[in-house]
Amino acid sequence: MLEKLKDAEQKYISIEESLSSPDIFSNQEKYTALMKEYKLLTPIIEKYRQYKSAEAECKELKEMLDEPLDADMRELAASEYKEAKAKIEAFTEELKILLLPRDPNDSKNVMVEIRSGAGGEEAALFAAVLYRMYTMYAEATGFKTSVMNVNETELGGYKEITFMIEGDGAYSRFKFESGVHRVQRVPETESQGRIQTSTATVAVLPEAADITVECCKSSGAGGQHINKTESAVRITHKPTGIVIECQEERSQFKNRDKALKMLKTKLYDIKLTEQNEKIASDRKSQVGTGDRSERIRTYNYPQGRITDHRIGLTLYSLESFVNGNIGAMIDALITADTAEKLKSQNS
């Protein structure tokens, strides 16, 4: 671990020097890439330097304790030595976590798909609750959301809704939401007051990257109404070769936005790259069929509780939770995942 940290610090210093170079600063693509790497390394290097400081302090105190000291001075040095040793142990554990392999998708925007599962209209209404919950959480934490596709029911529920969540680290916060969500409550459509169990499925995929955007003149029939400016847009997704063209709008910006949405939706629906095949495989194993018995989380309205069955955590704050206060649950899932990775690393 220490060798890795030494190498990381040398790389960090090298990046610092590069970032101050006029040649790098004038190359925005290179500068952005280096800044991203610099930001990822910063918490690791800061913690490593704290570790080295504690280690140096510990060594100095150990040398002091090997010398003849009066009783009071020895007691003070021994106490400080013990504190320094505890710091080293704490920093070591923190560094182990910081050095865990990062999910390469963690910093990406995400596309979220919510579908009603078992339970008919009540399942569609629950899908709408989940959509509202996620958008409220996203707004509170500084993420932007935009609807890509929606299939609404007469009562205001959703058979299906797909939306984007944009912002640095969006995938890292939402990726554990994939799976079957189960609700137990008296439906609005139930006149006898009976509790019904329904489900909705959630799938979270990282946003597709590696695209090129070209602008060109609109073509086709239209006579004098043809837009002779370069408002048409052609988008190419490099890994798959998918090409999307849009010239419906007179505005280049609107055509670009519409074409990007079409591309994102298309990439979401197909498995064309190795990465997306893996994600799709994970999605299938997590989401399943949407049956009531397949669930990652239960929302029990009569008892006012939410239980995440993967980590065995129950919170008695359902009203607050469905109003977007889901951060504590997400933090617990991230902590559990980190602990599992550390366990695998040490075994």
Side-chain angles (χ1 to χ4, degrees):
M1 184 183 80
L2 291 176
E3 284 303 314
K4 280 185 183 179
L5 288 165
K6 284 176 186 175
D7 291 343
E9 188 173 35
Q10 286 303 313
K11 190 173 187 179
Y12 187 76
I13 293 167
S14 175
I15 292 172
E16 269 186 329
E17 291 171 354
S18 296
L19 287 171
S20 61
S21 164
D23 292 339
I24 295 294
F25 191 75
S26 60
N27 184 336
Q28 276 303 300
E29 190 176 341
K30 183 71 174 172
Y31 181 80
T32 302
L34 283 173
M35 273 303 296
K36 187 176 180 181
E37 194 171 6
Y38 185 76
K39 281 175 68 178
L40 288 174
L41 282 172
T42 295
I44 298 171
I45 301 309
E46 285 178 351
K47 192 60 63 179
Y48 176 49
R49 287 171 177 173
Q50 287 179 310
Y51 168 89
K52 287 198 297 181
S53 176
E55 195 176 48
E57 183 186 2
C58 195
K59 184 180 178 183
E60 189 179 313
L61 289 164
K62 179 70 171 64
E63 288 172 355
M64 188 184 294
L65 286 168
D66 288 339
E67 296 173 2
L69 299 169
D70 62 52
D72 289 343
M73 185 62 76
R74 179 168 293 279
E75 186 180 349
L76 180 62
S79 175
E80 289 181 355
Y81 177 72
K82 187 177 179 181
E83 285 178 16
K85 289 280 283 184
K87 279 183 188 177
I88 290 171
E89 287 177 16
F91 291 149
T92 300
E93 292 306 308
E94 289 175 56
L95 284 165
K96 282 180 183 177
I97 293 170
L98 288 168
L99 286 173
L100 285 173
R102 283 178 56 85
D103 186 329
N105 293 316
D106 274 353
S107 62
K108 292 184 178 180
N109 301 331
V110 294
M111 183 177 286
V112 182
E113 174 203 75
I114 304 173
R115 292 181 184 175
S116 62
E121 185 63 50
E122 167 63 4
L125 290 168
F126 178 50
V129 169
L130 292 177
Y131 168 68
R132 179 176 175 271
M133 178 181 82
Y134 291 134
T135 52
M136 289 183 77
Y137 172 71
E139 184 180 343
T141 48
F143 295 115
K144 287 170 56 181
T145 62
S146 55
V147 174
M148 311 294 294
N149 180 52
V150 62
N151 184 352
E152 199 168 355
T153 65
E154 290 182 5
L155 295 181
Y158 296 127
K159 288 184 180 178
E160 178 185 339
I161 183 165
T162 305
F163 58 103
M164 287 290 298
I165 300 175
E166 298 175 89
D168 187 32
Y171 187 71
S172 70
R173 298 300 293 172
F174 287 91
K175 63 183 177 182
F176 296 108
E177 293 304 299
S178 287
V180 175
H181 294 244
R182 181 176 69 173
V183 64
Q184 295 171 326
R185 65 180 181 181
V186 178
E188 294 175 25
T189 54
E190 172 59 56
S191 58
Q192 303 298 317
R194 291 173 297 191
I195 295 172
Q196 179 178 320
T197 299
S198 306
T199 64
T201 66
V202 176
V204 180
L205 300 183
E207 182 185 26
D210 300 318
I211 62 171
T212 59
V213 180
E214 301 172 65
C215 298
C216 50
K217 290 178 181 177
S218 299
S219 61
Q224 64 180 348
H225 298 295
I226 291 177
N227 190 345
K228 294 181 174 61
T229 60
E230 291 196 342
S231 61
V233 169
R234 182 186 298 116
I235 292 180
T236 304
H237 182 244
K238 293 177 184 176
T240 62
I242 291 175
V243 177
I244 301 289
E245 294 184 4
C246 188
Q247 58 180 31
E248 295 172 17
E249 305 289 341
R250 288 176 175 267
S251 159
Q252 184 189 110
F253 176 80
K254 287 181 179 178
N255 279 327
R256 184 180 186 278
D257 188 52
K258 187 173 284 188
L260 281 170
K261 287 181 178 180
M262 289 164 66
L263 174 63
K264 288 168 184 173
T265 303
K266 194 163 188 175
L267 287 171
Y268 177 80
D269 290 333
I270 59 178
K271 311 173 186 78
L272 292 173
T273 66
E274 185 178 338
Q275 179 181 321
N276 279 352
E277 282 175 4
K278 181 181 182 302
I279 293 165
S281 174
D282 291 345
R283 178 190 184 283
K284 186 177 179 183
S285 66
Q286 291 170 347
V287 171
T289 63
D291 187 78
R292 294 177 181 85
S293 62
E294 300 174 341
R295 75 279 189 271
I296 61 163
R297 191 177 297 152
T298 295
Y299 302 71
N300 186 299
Y301 276 70
Q303 296 177 18
R305 66 172 170 83
I306 320 98
T307 299
D308 196 288
H309 305 287
R310 296 164 295 182
I311 56 176
L313 175 63
T314 296
L315 302 174
Y316 288 89
S317 54
L318 188 140
E319 185 178 351
S320 174
F321 195 87
V322 296
N323 281 322
N325 294 313
I326 63 175
M329 182 69 79
I330 289 173
D331 288 340
L333 287 162
I334 291 171
T335 299
D337 181 63
T338 301
E340 193 61 37
K341 285 176 180 174
L342 279 170
K343 185 179 174 183
S344 300
Q345 194 178 66
N346 295 331
S347 61

